[in-house]
Amino acid sequence: MRLGVNVPNFGPGTDPGILRQWALTVEGLGFDLLMVSDHVAITPDVAEQYPAPFYEPFTTLAWLAGVTSRIGLGTTVLIVPYRHPLLVARMAANLNDLSGGRLVLGVGVGWARQEFEALGVAHERRGRLTDDHLAVIRAAWADEGDYRSGGVPIWVGGGSDAALRRAVRFGEAWHPLRNTVPWLRERLPRLKAIAADQRRPVPAFAPRILLRLTGSPVTGPDRPAGEGTIEQVTGDLEELRLLGAETVVLDPFAGDPEETRRPEAAWEMLASVAAAWAGRSERH
C-alpha cells in the first residue's frame, strides 16, 4: 500500500520556500505521493477555512515537479466546474508529460457557494457540470493526436451515491476525504453494488485521512481515521489496507491556519508514521 501526503498550499505561513521544504521533506521520508488542494477565488467562505495566500494547484505542482525527482504529484481535489474542461485536459496532460508521468488528478464538485458565484459558475449545477466536464476531459485524452495524457489516473472524491456513481463512471479510484474507518467499511459495498449495476469495474480505493498524533488514545465511535496514538494510526492504516486501499493520503492539517506557520510539527508526525509503518511492514 502506498502512502501519500496532502501538503497545505495555503495559509499565512505558506510561501515558495516552505512549499519547497514540504516537497523535499515528504519525498525524503519516502512517501509515494504529494498532493495539494484547489481554490481559485479566495472568497469569504473559502478564506474562513483556507486563508490566502492560496497557491493554484497546477502551477504549484509544475514547480514542485522540478524540485522533486521521484514522488507522485496530485490534486486532492481539483474542483472540476471551476475551469473549462479542455483547459484542465491540456494542463493535466502537459503536467503529466513534464513530470515524467507522475500526475494523479483527484477531482471533486466543490462546496464554496461564494466562490462559485465569483467565477460565474452555477453552484446548484456543480454535480452535473462535473460529470459533463469529466466526459469531455476523457474524450480529449482519447484524442492522442492532440492531448497526450500518458494515462493520468482520475481519483473521484465524495461519499454520496452520486459521487460513487461518478467514481465508477470516470475514476480509476474512489477518493473519499477524512472519514471514520467504520463509515468507509460501510460505503465500500455500495461502491461495488453501483459498479455491478453499471457493469463497470470497481474503482480502486484511495482514501485521504486526517493525521493527528496524540499522546493518549482517542476513543469513541466518531474518531476519524488517522487520529490518535501512533499505534491507533498504524492500526487504521492496516485496516484500510485490509479493506483494499491501494493508496492512503495523510492530511496533517487539522483546521487552524496558524498551523502553516509551524510545519515542523507536521513533519515530525509524518516522520513518526513513516518509520512506524515501515517497521510494521517489515514485521509482516
Side-chain angles (χ1 to χ4, degrees), residues 3 5 21-32 70-71 266-275 278:
L3 293 182
V5 178
Q21 284 183 269
W22 264 104
L24 294 176
T25 298
V26 169
E27 185 172 60
L29 288 171
F31 286 96
D32 301 292
R70 173 196 58 81
I71 196 166
W267 298 340
E268 290 176 5
M269 288 193 298
L270 290 166
S272 297
V273 172

Side-chain angles (χ1 to χ4, degrees), residues 120-181:
V121 181
H123 179 269
E124 65 276 6
R125 295 187 61 237
R126 64 194 187 280
R128 175 62 62 85
L129 287 170
T130 297
D131 290 346
D132 292 346
H133 283 29
L134 289 174
V136 172
I137 292 167
R138 283 290 194 197
W141 287 347
D143 183 0
E144 289 294 335
D146 196 35
Y147 292 83
R148 293 177 55 208
S149 72
V152 177
I154 292 177
W155 291 6
V156 178
S160 66
D161 273 13
L164 297 182
R165 288 191 294 270
R166 186 173 299 118
V168 168
R169 182 180 175 192
F170 297 109
E172 277 73 29
W174 177 45
H175 183 51
L177 311 180
R178 297 174 68 130
N179 305 107
T180 67
V181 170

Side-chain angles (χ1 to χ4, degrees), residues 2 120 208:
R2 303 191 312 160
R208 187 181 101 199

Side-chain angles (χ1 to χ4, degrees), residues 139-247:
W141 287 347
D143 183 0
E144 289 294 335
D146 196 35
Y147 292 83
R148 293 177 55 208
S149 72
V152 177
I154 292 177
W155 291 6
V156 178
S160 66
D161 273 13
L164 297 182
R165 288 191 294 270
R166 186 173 299 118
V168 168
R169 182 180 175 192
F170 297 109
E172 277 73 29
W174 177 45
H175 183 51
L177 311 180
R178 297 174 68 130
N179 305 107
T180 67
V181 170
W183 184 90
L184 293 167
R185 188 184 296 111
E186 290 171 3
R187 290 303 282 168
L188 281 168
R190 181 59 180 152
L191 178 69
K192 294 175 182 177
I194 289 172
D197 288 343
Q198 295 190 14
R199 298 184 179 179
R200 293 175 180 266
V202 180
F205 178 40
R208 187 181 101 199
I209 66 172
L210 177 67
L211 175 60
R212 192 175 80 87
L213 293 181
T214 60
S216 56
V218 177
T219 59
D222 296 328
R223 180 183 71 86
E227 181 179 41
T229 63
I230 189 66
E231 292 80 12
Q232 285 182 297
V233 172
T234 55
D236 289 340
L237 291 174
E238 178 62 16
E239 284 200 62
L240 293 172
R241 186 188 71 81
L242 294 173
L243 287 172
E246 294 186 0
T247 305

